[in-house]
Amino acid sequence: MINIDRLRARMTEMAKIGATPNGGVTRLALSEEDKRARKLFVKWMEEVGLDTRVDDFGNIYGKLHGLERGLPVVMAGSHLDTVPKGGNFDGVLGVLGALEAVESLIEQGVKPLRSIELVSFTNEEGARFTPQMLGSGAVTGQFTKDYVYTREDNKGFLFKDELEAIDFKGEESNRPREVSAFIELHIEQGPMLEIEQKSVGIVEGIAGFSWMQVEVAGQSDHSGSTPMSMRNDSLVKAAAIIQKISLWAENRDEQTVATVGNITTSPGIINAVPGETKFTIDFRHPNREELYKGMEEIKQLIKTEVEESSLSSTVKEIRTHQPVHFSNEICTLMEGTCRSLSHPYKHLISGAGHDAMYMQHITNAGMLFVPSINGKSHCEEENTEWEDIECGIVTLFHVLNKLANQPLGVASNNLNNNIKQ
């Protein structure tokens, strides 16, 4: 149903943009590398015959017009940006895989009832501008335009200025209007599909997450003249807390994950006892009640540990997002498609966030996963077998065809009512 060699050639060409010495890629949002990738994607869509446009957040669209142009569109896509020294499949497979599915539909003479629209969202990774998923969050009303435009990278460059610098600041009128369904193909970024020898993952939802910053306050003293028994070392206490959080997560349930990803100390010099230590916590769970219960358990754990000493602590919630559950109708359609194609599949929950989690706010959304070799992602070793990729994109091909030609009975959504100005 698809031309896997054509897709592989495009993936290989795209991987040259921002290529790293060890076979990965660095293509940060709104960078020169991102600009080159965007232009290449637009070029390929135009060669296929799609109508292309760019909105005011830099999201790129390509439309295959359906027989009934007034109907809400079926949308598919992902993102082109990467993390530093990332892999060649995260995000870009969902963009170019959707392009391959649509081009194959055209080649086979399929004239869909609804228009099918491809999309590449801006700054999904959040590696340059935080938070992540700014492009999809903006067009679904999760972020205001002013909030997005004033995001700064670590060098002080503004999102709006960098968007203009790469010449991808489009018009507000180019935002999507009515979307009947959204599908995102992505690598799993975890080991379960490979372990269970499944080629396709049917994603039922995305785990909720809470990001917190913990500050432990002690006393800074000279490292050489302060006896060990008289120290209030904030880093030592923070280390004990971090270890207990890890053990707590290991023993809680299989769906609980907690990560400490950033640690800073003050004064941060070799010959002073750390008077202040800050660290971040990333806690995730697919169940809403357990997410909020776990947040309180973490706070209590920190409080109990600190109260045993003369130190103090504060916990600040950076961002919390509730679990997302995808459309049951779309999951059922994906399962039926996998069965008819004899593709081995598995239902699962995504621990990582994706653009589809925001799209679910305004339409019926779904995700398809393909396996990641050794569960690797966000690294140069990231890889996926092409046989699995073919299964995933053939599944996507049929799902898009059915969605574009067989109404699911879902109400269309006017995105104008969801946008925060």
Side-chain angles (χ1 to χ4, degrees):
M1 292 295 175
I2 66 166
N3 187 334
I4 194 66
D5 291 331
R6 176 172 58 201
L7 172 65
R8 188 167 188 167
R10 283 178 177 156
M11 292 283 291
T12 300
E13 186 170 352
M14 186 65 78
K16 295 176 182 177
I17 302 176
T20 59
N22 294 322
V25 62
T26 297
R27 197 162 52 235
L28 302 182
L30 309 188
S31 64
E32 183 61 31
E33 292 79 14
D34 188 25
K35 176 181 179 179
R36 291 168 54 199
R38 289 163 168 267
K39 293 180 72 172
L40 183 59
F41 177 50
V42 171
K43 172 179 174 288
W44 283 335
M45 288 197 294
E46 290 177 343
E47 288 175 349
V48 170
L50 306 185
D51 284 343
T52 63
R53 69 184 194 280
V54 180
D55 70 20
D56 50 331
F57 299 111
N59 299 318
I60 305 170
Y61 309 91
K63 179 180 286 187
L64 170 64
H65 289 286
L67 297 174
E68 296 289 340
R69 298 193 178 191
L71 292 176
V73 305
V74 173
M75 185 176 283
S78 192
H79 61 96
L80 293 172
D81 64 312
T82 75
V83 299
K85 294 185 179 180
N88 295 314
F89 296 87
D90 181 356
V92 67
L93 178 62
V95 174
L96 298 187
L99 175 60
E100 177 56 41
V102 168
E103 185 169 7
S104 296
L105 286 170
I106 295 172
E107 289 175 339
Q108 294 179 35
V110 175
K111 298 186 181 298
L113 181 67
R114 299 176 184 271
S115 297
I116 301 176
E117 197 158 87
L118 306 185
V119 61
S120 176
F121 287 114
T122 301
N123 193 73
E124 191 274 349
E125 294 290 4
R128 183 179 181 193
F129 298 97
T130 59
Q132 73 274 49
M133 296 172 284
L134 283 176
S136 57
V139 296
T140 57
Q142 307 305 304
F143 306 122
T144 65
K145 187 170 184 174
D146 181 66
Y147 177 83
V148 174
Y149 277 10
T150 55
R151 295 301 88 205
E152 291 187 12
D153 67 8
N154 59 12
K155 295 182 179 179
F157 290 103
L158 292 177
F159 181 100
K160 180 184 178 182
D161 294 341
E162 296 302 280
L163 186 61
E164 292 174 340
I166 66 168
D167 199 26
F168 268 89
K169 181 176 177 290
E171 300 297 326
E172 182 175 331
S173 59
N174 286 336
R175 298 177 188 176
R177 296 302 170 190
E178 292 183 299
V179 182
S180 66
F182 174 77
I183 308 296
E184 183 172 7
L185 173 73
H186 208 279
I187 58 172
E188 182 189 0
Q189 301 182 282
M192 299 312 299
L193 291 177
E194 184 181 51
I195 289 172
E196 298 191 23
Q197 298 183 340
K198 307 295 185 183
S199 295
V200 178
I202 298 171
V203 186
E204 296 180 341
I206 295 179
F209 66 85
S210 177
W211 289 352
M212 293 173 269
Q213 179 173 277
V214 181
E215 179 179 328
V216 179
Q219 176 62 52
S220 181
D221 288 299
H222 194 287
S223 63
S225 57
T226 307
M228 298 300 292
S229 61
M230 297 179 63
R231 297 186 179 199
N232 290 321
D233 191 322
S234 65
L235 179 56
V236 171
K237 179 56 66 176
I241 293 171
I242 291 168
Q243 185 177 38
K244 289 195 173 184
I245 289 173
S246 180
L247 292 172
W248 166 85
E250 288 179 18
N251 296 321
R252 194 168 187 269
D253 62 45
E254 291 185 353
Q255 295 176 308
T256 293
V257 291
T259 305
V260 172
N262 180 270
I263 304 173
T264 59
T265 66
S266 176
I269 57 177
I270 194 170
N271 59 344
V273 176
E276 178 185 272
T277 298
K278 295 180 180 179
F279 62 91
T280 59
I281 301 173
D282 178 329
F283 163 56
R284 306 192 185 210
H285 201 283
N287 179 276
R288 183 183 183 278
E289 291 184 1
E290 289 300 320
L291 177 70
Y292 286 96
K293 181 181 177 183
M295 290 168 60
E296 293 306 314
E297 291 174 1
I298 289 174
K299 293 175 183 177
Q300 184 59 50
L301 183 154
I302 294 170
K303 181 181 179 182
T304 300
E305 182 68 21
V306 171
E307 285 180 348
E308 296 176 355
S309 64
S310 56
L311 284 74
S312 63
S313 68
T314 58
V315 180
K316 176 184 176 182
E317 290 184 28
I318 300 172
R319 183 173 177 80
T320 297
H321 197 285
Q322 296 185 17
V324 171
H325 301 284
F326 290 137
S327 163
N328 290 330
E329 295 96 332
I330 290 180
C331 286
T332 299
L333 174 59
M334 290 175 173
E335 181 174 8
T337 302
C338 286
R339 285 181 175 178
S340 67
L341 296 169
S342 298
H343 289 167
Y345 67 91
K346 172 183 174 61
H347 288 266
L348 41 71
I349 297 290
S350 173
H354 299 281
D355 291 308
M357 66 184 279
Y358 284 148
M359 291 300 291
Q360 178 63 29
H361 286 286
I362 54 89
T363 189
N364 274 17
M367 290 193 74
L368 290 167
F369 276 174
V370 291
S372 296
I373 295 176
N374 296 323
K376 295 288 186 179
S377 182
H378 279 194
C379 61
E380 294 170 310
E381 296 80 14
E382 175 183 284
N383 202 359
T384 295
E385 298 287 356
W386 284 97
E387 292 82 358
D388 291 326
I389 289 175
E390 186 165 13
C391 285
I393 296 177
V394 169
T395 303
L396 177 65
F397 170 94
H398 286 284
V399 169
L400 290 179
N401 190 22
K402 291 173 183 177
L403 287 171
N405 287 287
Q406 299 176 11
L408 287 175
V410 297
S412 63
N413 296 275
N414 191 321
L415 272 68
N416 290 327
N417 296 329
N418 293 284
I419 300 300
K420 294 181 181 179
Q421 300 297 337

